[in-house]
Every structure is written in structure tokens, then in C-alpha cells.
Amino acid sequence: MSLFDKRIAELEEKLPHLDPAELVDWRQTGRSFLLVDVRQQEEAAEGSIEGAVNIPRPKLEASIESHMQDPQQPVVVFCGGRGRSQLVADSLRAMGMDARVLRGGYSAWRDTQT
């Protein structure tokens, strides 16, 4: 296992996650949260989750607050699968935010919508 894979596995155990079905529940109940697609713009242009804000990973920490309605608002992040979103959520949590990861990323979301 590579060092990167080991780090991602550690974060998957440590960080709070939402399954795609839980994200649907949050939306249906009107829960306030910010949904962030951390993929590059060209990736997001191929498909994303309705209502998500695209903030690519390199710019996220510096600009996330400008997209939040409330500093206590939960932030749900996703990427294509699992790696980038784990790293972003860990960084946001270190900044004091309530960040969670969409389990399986956009791929898992897309699979539940078909």
C-alpha cells in the first residue's frame, strides 16, 4: 500500500461521512449545508450534483468561507471517488469547520441516481 493510500485509509476511518442516501435525506428535510465539489472545473463540467459549488481543491481553504451562509454550517465535500475529498475535509476540520465527506464521491452519487 502506498503512503498516499495509507493516509486516505486513515482519514476514511477518522472523518465523518455521509452516504448518498443520507445526502438525499438532508436535502429533503431542508437541512442547511454547503455542498462542495472539489474536482477541477473540467471534471465538474462533465457532471456534478445539483446545487453543488465547484471549488477546486487548490483554492478551497482560501475561498470556502465566501460560499458559506453561516460559519457553523456543515460542509459536505466530494470528489470523483475518495482521495481529494478526504484531504479537503481533514483540512477544513483543522480550520474548525464541520466538514464531512460524501462516501464514494460523485461516482457513488451518480450510481444511486440511475
Side-chain angles (χ1 to χ4, degrees), residues 8-54:
I8 297 304
E10 289 170 356
L11 291 174
E12 285 179 324
E13 291 295 319
K14 168 183 153 183
L15 296 170
H17 287 73
L18 284 180
D19 291 317
E22 291 174 294
L23 180 61
V24 169
D25 288 343
W26 277 29
R27 293 174 117 179
Q28 289 177 344
T29 61
R31 183 161 181 178
S32 175
F33 64 97
L34 178 63
L35 182 61
V36 180
D37 183 343
V38 303
R39 298 175 298 158
Q40 296 298 321
Q41 289 180 338
E42 53 275 5
E43 292 174 281
E46 294 176 9
S48 192
I49 301 172
E50 184 179 339
V53 175
N54 178 236

